[in-house]
Amino acid sequence: MNLYITGLNQITDVDIDRINKPDLPIAAGHLSLPTAKAIVIFSGIFSLAMGLSHPFLSTNGLSVALWASFILGTMYSLPPIRFKRFHLLAAFCIIAVRGAVINAGFYAHAQAAAFGGGA
């Protein structure tokens, strides 16, 4: 999922990254935009599919973490919402995903994987 979120951000910010972060793969020309889009789409679909595969590869905690990260990561980078345009909403998105969603979701996933149950 991190590949989806960070890749989507790089795809939507190529012009800015050419100035501020010229060493990133797309900005530097090491990765074409069509290839980057294919990788990002695949990684998003694959991540969500793992979350839907419950109970074989996932738990409820992991599924919630994946879906919440996907939704907030998409809202952060893509129009019409594009939270990154507003500093407080951008900070909220980053804190929510990195601070709350991932930690709580992975904790619930580890608890369920180690001790059983559907959490």
Side-chain angles (χ1 to χ4, degrees):
M1 184 55 63
N2 192 56
L3 179 60
Y4 168 78
I5 293 170
T6 57
L8 184 62
N9 187 46
Q10 286 187 38
I11 288 169
T12 60
D13 281 349
V14 175
D15 293 335
I16 294 168
D17 288 343
R18 283 191 181 121
I19 297 166
N20 294 329
K21 299 176 184 177
D23 294 331
L24 291 176
I26 302 169
H30 301 301
L31 181 64
S32 72
L33 205 51
T35 301
K37 287 179 182 180
I39 292 169
V40 166
I41 290 168
F42 173 79
S43 65
I45 291 170
F46 185 74
S47 295
L48 293 175
M50 284 184 61
L52 292 172
S53 69
H54 175 73
F56 301 109
L57 297 174
S58 183
T59 63
N60 291 339
L62 182 60
S63 184
V64 168
L66 289 171
W67 279 95
S69 297
F70 175 81
I71 290 167
L72 287 173
T74 301
M75 291 170 65
Y76 178 84
S77 291
L78 288 183
I81 299 172
R82 198 164 160 87
F83 281 155
K84 69 184 341 178
R85 295 178 298 157
F86 311 102
H87 62 279
L88 290 177
L89 290 174
F92 166 78
C93 238
I94 294 167
I95 290 168
V97 171
R98 304 272 182 196
V101 170
I102 289 175
N103 288 313
F106 286 5
Y107 177 79
H109 173 67
Q111 286 289 320
F115 304 113

